[in-house]
Amino acid sequence: MAGSDVQVWAGIVGTFATVGVSVLGVLNFQRKRDTSAAVGAAFKDVVEALASDNTTQQMAGAILMRRFFDNNSEQGAGRTPYADEAVAVIAGLLRESRSGQVQKVLADGLRFAPSLVQADLQGCNLTRAYLGRRTGDKKIVDLENADLFEADLTGASLRGARAPGAVFFRATLVNAVLADTVLTRADFREARLTGANFEGARLSGAQFAGASDIPDRVVRLLDTDGVVVSEDPV
């Protein structure tokens, strides 16, 4: 084959390669767009299930909402595009929910969120919620600077979680478990703390002014302004 023919065929092959890459790029974009649309439709269906008057559908929706926190699931779509929306929907429902099975499943679902840093959980019913670290689980729930103003955490567990700077102002933490939790600079002013367990918690800089039923082992760490001055765990 003449040198000129080789150059022609090389040009043709190069052109097909370029076009092929372009086509694959378009197809990949189309797949991503279709996937995003499917995830959006699934999110809408789950929200509608949660809004149903049927308790079974509500429970199913509460469980399925967790799928939007899992980047290995079809709803996570590799990058959890609806994770923030899922947290917002759960929080909105928990502001209106009475304590019960659906409420607890929703509240427990927050534990699977990629992050709860600066989450708006004001007024949420988190009764009996488990947001702590499970035995053998590497995941640590991160509530740094989260806002739990007037939230109800009666009987809830944040054992081993991170919540530095979190706001529990006027929150109800009756019988709540905050053992081994990082709570530096947290705000517990005017909170109800009857039976709350702070064993092993780190509370340096935490504020307790006006809180009721502060555990004795925490009281011993407070200065005259109700602020924890010790760096040591409770």
mmCIF file of all heavy atoms in Angstrom, residues 18-19 24 39-40 49 55 58 60 76 78 86 89 107 113 135 143 167 173 175 186 188 200 229 234:
data_model
loop_
_atom_site.group_PDB
_atom_site.id
_atom_site.type_symbol
_atom_site.label_atom_id
_atom_site.label_comp_id
_atom_site.label_asym_id
_atom_site.label_seq_id
_atom_site.Cartn_x
_atom_site.Cartn_y
_atom_site.Cartn_z
ATOM 1 N N THR A 18 -12.721 9.713 16.710
ATOM 2 C CA THR A 18 -13.192 10.984 17.263
ATOM 3 C C THR A 18 -14.714 11.016 17.360
ATOM 4 O O THR A 18 -15.291 11.401 18.370
ATOM 5 C CB THR A 18 -12.705 12.159 16.401
ATOM 6 O OG1 THR A 18 -11.275 12.144 16.370
ATOM 7 C CG2 THR A 18 -13.182 13.488 16.970
ATOM 8 N N VAL A 19 -15.360 10.568 16.256
ATOM 9 C CA VAL A 19 -16.830 10.535 16.247
ATOM 10 C C VAL A 19 -17.343 9.566 17.303
ATOM 11 O O VAL A 19 -18.321 9.827 18.009
ATOM 12 C CB VAL A 19 -17.350 10.152 14.854
ATOM 13 C CG1 VAL A 19 -18.865 9.940 14.890
ATOM 14 C CG2 VAL A 19 -17.003 11.235 13.846
ATOM 15 N N LEU A 24 -20.284 8.367 22.230
ATOM 16 C CA LEU A 24 -20.312 7.774 23.568
ATOM 17 C C LEU A 24 -20.564 8.837 24.622
ATOM 18 O O LEU A 24 -21.280 8.610 25.605
ATOM 19 C CB LEU A 24 -18.995 7.046 23.861
ATOM 20 C CG LEU A 24 -18.781 5.735 23.101
ATOM 21 C CD1 LEU A 24 -17.365 5.208 23.371
ATOM 22 C CD2 LEU A 24 -19.816 4.688 23.522
ATOM 23 N N VAL A 39 -34.623 8.987 39.195
ATOM 24 C CA VAL A 39 -34.442 9.202 40.629
ATOM 25 C C VAL A 39 -35.412 10.268 41.128
ATOM 26 O O VAL A 39 -36.024 10.135 42.197
ATOM 27 C CB VAL A 39 -32.988 9.613 40.952
ATOM 28 C CG1 VAL A 39 -32.839 9.979 42.425
ATOM 29 C CG2 VAL A 39 -32.037 8.476 40.612
ATOM 30 N N GLY A 40 -35.580 11.327 40.345
ATOM 31 C CA GLY A 40 -36.529 12.370 40.719
ATOM 32 C C GLY A 40 -37.949 11.845 40.819
ATOM 33 O O GLY A 40 -38.698 12.192 41.743
ATOM 34 N N ALA A 49 -46.057 8.706 49.110
ATOM 35 C CA ALA A 49 -46.377 7.604 50.033
ATOM 36 C C ALA A 49 -46.381 8.101 51.473
ATOM 37 O O ALA A 49 -47.246 7.731 52.269
ATOM 38 C CB ALA A 49 -45.372 6.469 49.856
ATOM 39 N N THR A 55 -51.302 3.996 56.773
ATOM 40 C CA THR A 55 -50.115 3.812 57.628
ATOM 41 C C THR A 55 -49.083 2.905 56.983
ATOM 42 O O THR A 55 -47.871 3.123 57.111
ATOM 43 C CB THR A 55 -50.522 3.239 58.997
ATOM 44 O OG1 THR A 55 -51.485 4.106 59.602
ATOM 45 C CG2 THR A 55 -49.322 3.120 59.922
ATOM 46 N N GLN A 58 -47.189 4.881 54.494
ATOM 47 C CA GLN A 58 -46.314 5.806 55.210
ATOM 48 C C GLN A 58 -45.060 5.086 55.699
ATOM 49 O O GLN A 58 -43.946 5.602 55.566
ATOM 50 C CB GLN A 58 -47.050 6.417 56.396
ATOM 51 C CG GLN A 58 -48.151 7.389 56.031
ATOM 52 C CD GLN A 58 -48.875 7.897 57.256
ATOM 53 O OE1 GLN A 58 -48.607 7.475 58.387
ATOM 54 N NE2 GLN A 58 -49.804 8.808 57.053
ATOM 55 N N ALA A 60 -43.744 2.319 54.512
ATOM 56 C CA ALA A 60 -42.917 1.963 53.350
ATOM 57 C C ALA A 60 -42.134 3.176 52.867
ATOM 58 O O ALA A 60 -40.939 3.085 52.562
ATOM 59 C CB ALA A 60 -43.800 1.408 52.236
ATOM 60 N N GLY A 76 -29.758 6.385 45.005
ATOM 61 C CA GLY A 76 -28.570 7.186 45.267
ATOM 62 C C GLY A 76 -27.878 7.609 43.984
ATOM 63 O O GLY A 76 -27.260 8.664 43.906
ATOM 64 N N GLY A 78 -25.249 6.877 42.578
ATOM 65 C CA GLY A 78 -23.814 7.100 42.608
ATOM 66 C C GLY A 78 -23.361 8.366 43.293
ATOM 67 O O GLY A 78 -22.188 8.537 43.577
ATOM 68 N N ALA A 86 -34.023 14.820 51.015
ATOM 69 C CA ALA A 86 -34.556 13.763 51.877
ATOM 70 C C ALA A 86 -34.485 14.174 53.348
ATOM 71 O O ALA A 86 -35.432 13.955 54.114
ATOM 72 C CB ALA A 86 -33.782 12.460 51.653
ATOM 73 N N VAL A 89 -37.233 16.755 53.944
ATOM 74 C CA VAL A 89 -38.565 16.155 53.999
ATOM 75 C C VAL A 89 -38.770 15.437 55.330
ATOM 76 O O VAL A 89 -39.820 15.583 55.985
ATOM 77 C CB VAL A 89 -38.767 15.170 52.829
ATOM 78 C CG1 VAL A 89 -40.026 14.332 53.041
ATOM 79 C CG2 VAL A 89 -38.879 15.930 51.510
ATOM 80 N N ALA A 107 -37.196 9.149 62.048
ATOM 81 C CA ALA A 107 -36.121 9.724 62.863
ATOM 82 C C ALA A 107 -34.857 8.880 62.783
ATOM 83 O O ALA A 107 -33.749 9.410 62.628
ATOM 84 C CB ALA A 107 -36.581 9.858 64.314
ATOM 85 N N ALA A 113 -28.069 9.566 56.712
ATOM 86 C CA ALA A 113 -27.747 10.720 55.870
ATOM 87 C C ALA A 113 -26.229 10.881 55.759
ATOM 88 O O ALA A 113 -25.507 10.651 56.730
ATOM 89 C CB ALA A 113 -28.367 11.988 56.438
ATOM 90 N N THR A 135 -22.353 -0.749 67.476
ATOM 91 C CA THR A 135 -21.169 -1.567 67.723
ATOM 92 C C THR A 135 -20.624 -2.113 66.405
ATOM 93 O O THR A 135 -21.361 -2.711 65.615
ATOM 94 C CB THR A 135 -21.512 -2.738 68.664
ATOM 95 O OG1 THR A 135 -22.038 -2.223 69.886
ATOM 96 C CG2 THR A 135 -20.279 -3.573 68.959
ATOM 97 N N LEU A 143 -23.392 15.832 63.714
ATOM 98 C CA LEU A 143 -24.382 16.879 63.937
ATOM 99 C C LEU A 143 -23.717 18.207 64.274
ATOM 100 O O LEU A 143 -24.307 19.050 64.952
ATOM 101 C CB LEU A 143 -25.323 16.473 65.073
ATOM 102 C CG LEU A 143 -26.368 15.393 64.754
ATOM 103 C CD1 LEU A 143 -26.784 14.663 66.015
ATOM 104 C CD2 LEU A 143 -27.577 16.008 64.067
ATOM 105 N N VAL A 167 -27.014 23.064 68.702
ATOM 106 C CA VAL A 167 -27.923 23.865 69.521
ATOM 107 C C VAL A 167 -29.060 22.978 70.036
ATOM 108 O O VAL A 167 -29.861 22.458 69.256
ATOM 109 C CB VAL A 167 -28.516 25.032 68.701
ATOM 110 C CG1 VAL A 167 -29.539 25.800 69.533
ATOM 111 C CG2 VAL A 167 -27.408 25.961 68.230
ATOM 112 N N LEU A 173 -34.524 16.592 76.528
ATOM 113 C CA LEU A 173 -33.599 15.462 76.465
ATOM 114 C C LEU A 173 -33.816 14.521 77.648
ATOM 115 O O LEU A 173 -32.874 13.957 78.195
ATOM 116 C CB LEU A 173 -32.159 15.953 76.423
ATOM 117 C CG LEU A 173 -31.793 16.730 75.157
ATOM 118 C CD1 LEU A 173 -31.493 18.192 75.476
ATOM 119 C CD2 LEU A 173 -30.605 16.106 74.449
ATOM 120 N N ASN A 175 -34.137 11.464 79.681
ATOM 121 C CA ASN A 175 -33.627 10.094 79.505
ATOM 122 C C ASN A 175 -32.857 9.901 78.190
ATOM 123 O O ASN A 175 -32.733 8.776 77.702
ATOM 124 C CB ASN A 175 -34.761 9.068 79.595
ATOM 125 C CG ASN A 175 -35.413 9.052 80.957
ATOM 126 O OD1 ASN A 175 -34.740 9.212 81.985
ATOM 127 N ND2 ASN A 175 -36.725 8.863 80.998
ATOM 128 N N ALA A 186 -21.553 23.011 72.701
ATOM 129 C CA ALA A 186 -22.985 22.812 72.462
ATOM 130 C C ALA A 186 -23.804 23.725 73.370
ATOM 131 O O ALA A 186 -23.352 24.136 74.440
ATOM 132 C CB ALA A 186 -23.361 21.363 72.686
ATOM 133 N N PHE A 188 -27.018 23.975 75.602
ATOM 134 C CA PHE A 188 -28.100 23.289 76.322
ATOM 135 C C PHE A 188 -28.896 24.252 77.191
ATOM 136 O O PHE A 188 -29.598 23.829 78.117
ATOM 137 C CB PHE A 188 -27.522 22.173 77.211
ATOM 138 C CG PHE A 188 -26.957 21.006 76.450
ATOM 139 C CD1 PHE A 188 -25.597 20.935 76.178
ATOM 140 C CD2 PHE A 188 -27.774 19.984 76.006
ATOM 141 C CE1 PHE A 188 -25.062 19.860 75.476
ATOM 142 C CE2 PHE A 188 -27.256 18.897 75.308
ATOM 143 C CZ PHE A 188 -25.893 18.843 75.047
ATOM 144 N N GLY A 200 -18.847 10.101 79.810
ATOM 145 C CA GLY A 200 -17.820 10.041 78.779
ATOM 146 C C GLY A 200 -17.938 11.114 77.714
ATOM 147 O O GLY A 200 -17.111 11.172 76.803
ATOM 148 N N VAL A 229 -16.066 24.255 81.935
ATOM 149 C CA VAL A 229 -14.700 24.760 81.795
ATOM 150 C C VAL A 229 -13.675 23.645 81.726
ATOM 151 O O VAL A 229 -12.502 23.891 81.417
ATOM 152 C CB VAL A 229 -14.357 25.708 82.973
ATOM 153 C CG1 VAL A 229 -15.198 26.968 82.906
ATOM 154 C CG2 VAL A 229 -14.547 25.012 84.315
ATOM 155 N N VAL A 234 -16.770 13.732 80.752
ATOM 156 C CA VAL A 234 -17.606 13.669 81.957
ATOM 157 C C VAL A 234 -17.373 12.353 82.674
ATOM 158 O O VAL A 234 -17.365 11.300 82.028
ATOM 159 C CB VAL A 234 -19.083 13.794 81.579
ATOM 160 C CG1 VAL A 234 -19.971 13.632 82.806
ATOM 161 C CG2 VAL A 234 -19.338 15.130 80.897
#
